[in-house]
Amino acid sequence: AQSVTQLGSHVSVSEGALVLLRCNYSSSVPPYLFWYVQYPNQGLQLLLKYTSAATLVKGINGFEAEFKKSETSFHLTKPSAHMSDAAEYFCAVSGTSYGKLTFGQGTILTVHP
Amino acid sequence: EAGVTQFPSHSVIEKGQTVTLRCDPISGHDNLYWYRRVMGKEIKFLLHFVKESKQDESGMPNNRFLAERTGGTYSTLKVQPAELEDSGVYFCASSDPTGSGKETQYFGPGTRLLVL
C-alpha cells in the first residue's frame, strides 16, 4: 500500500521568499514520486518527477525537489517565489508497473506582494 | 499537439439522474486513467484502461459507476443513478504505453459534477 502526506494545506509566502512545500510518502516498493501543480480552472500539470535516477530533481518554473529515502520525503522548493506561483500543489506516488497515482491532500500556495 | 480534453466542464444534476462524462486522451496514449476529487479530500484513483481493457478498477466506488473505452480511444464514465456524495471533480489522465509506472500522466481540466 502507498500513501502520501502533505504537511500544511495552506502555505503563504511573500514574493521573493523561499517556497518549501512538504511531502512525505509511504511505499512498500521503490517509489516514483511526482509533483503536480493546478492553476485555477486548469488541469494538473507536471512540475517534476523522481524515477530513481538523480535524487535532486529539477523541474519547470525554477522548482526542484530532493528525494530522501531515509526520511521518506520529497519536499518541493523554489528559492524565490513569484506571484504567478500561486496555485495548488499535489505530491503523488506511484510504485506499480501501471502507474496508478496516490495523491496527497494538496497544498494551496499563496504569494503576497 | 492537443492535450487531454474532458466534456462537459460542469454538470449540475438532481439526485437520481444519470450523467455521462467523456474524456479524450492524447492521441497514441494507450493508458487512460480516471480520478475523482471530492471537496476537501485528496484526488483518488478510480480506474485504469490499457487500450480498451480495464487494467485496474479497484477505485470504483460502487456499481452505479460504469466506465467504458470504445475502441481504445475516448472513454466515458457514467453515473447512474447519481447520489449527493458523487459530487466532485472528475479528472481524466493519459500516458504513453511504457507500463513502467514512471511515465508522466497528462491530466485534463476536469469535469465539475454537482448533484443536488
Side-chain angles (χ1 to χ4, degrees):
Chain A
Q2 298 177 306
S3 66
V4 174
T5 301
Q6 291 183 238
L7 296 176
S9 58
H10 290 80
V11 171
S12 180
V13 300
S14 298
E15 192 173 19
L18 171 72
V19 175
L20 171 61
L21 304 182
R22 300 178 186 273
C23 172
N24 288 88
Y25 71 91
S26 172
S27 178
S28 56
V29 298
Y32 302 129
L33 293 156
F34 304 79
W35 274 101
Y36 281 89
V37 60
Q38 185 181 24
Y39 299 103
N41 300 316
Q42 295 186 29
L44 279 70
Q45 178 183 1
L46 181 72
L47 276 177
L48 50 81
K49 63 181 180 181
Y50 167 75
T51 57
S52 73
T55 56
L56 182 63
V57 182
K58 295 186 182 299
I60 62 171
N61 301 336
F63 285 94
E64 64 180 37
E66 186 172 9
F67 172 70
K68 293 186 177 181
K69 184 178 178 180
S70 61
E71 299 177 8
T72 61
S73 70
F74 190 57
H75 302 330
L76 182 70
T77 60
K78 181 174 181 178
S80 176
H82 290 233
M83 298 294 290
S84 60
D85 294 327
E88 188 163 18
Y89 293 78
F90 298 92
C91 182
V93 63
S94 166
T96 70
S97 61
Y98 292 104
K100 164 187 168 181
L101 293 174
T102 300
F103 284 88
Q105 302 91 323
T107 298
I108 296 173
L109 175 67
T110 303
V111 182
H112 296 288
Chain B
E1 179 182 302
V4 177
T5 58
Q6 293 186 245
F7 182 83
S9 58
H10 295 78
S11 180
V12 181
I13 62 173
E14 293 190 352
K15 176 182 173 180
Q17 290 186 321
T18 297
V19 63
T20 300
L21 313 181
R22 173 170 170 146
C23 169
D24 287 79
I26 293 172
S27 177
H29 281 190
D30 287 347
N31 291 305
L32 188 149
Y33 304 83
W34 283 98
Y35 294 87
R36 177 176 73 172
R37 190 181 195 192
V38 172
M39 186 179 294
K41 303 288 188 180
E42 67 272 26
I43 300 170
K44 284 195 172 180
F45 167 82
L46 295 178
L47 87 159
H48 170 211
F49 284 100
V50 177
K51 297 184 179 179
E52 67 275 8
S53 299
K54 293 177 186 175
Q55 181 64 46
D56 181 355
E57 52 184 328
S58 61
M60 294 288 265
N62 50 60
N63 59 11
R64 295 185 294 103
F65 288 75
L66 175 64
E68 295 179 324
R69 190 177 183 193
T70 305
T73 56
Y74 70 92
S75 175
T76 58
L77 180 64
K78 179 189 288 187
V79 184
Q80 179 182 29
E83 298 288 346
L84 299 180
E85 63 264 26
D86 300 332
S87 296
V89 182
Y90 290 76
F91 292 102
C92 175
S94 70
S95 69
D96 282 337
T98 62
S100 66
K102 64 176 75 172
E103 62 270 17
T104 297
Q105 292 185 26
Y106 296 86
F107 282 76
T111 293
R112 285 148 184 80
L113 175 64
L114 178 60
V115 182
L116 301 176

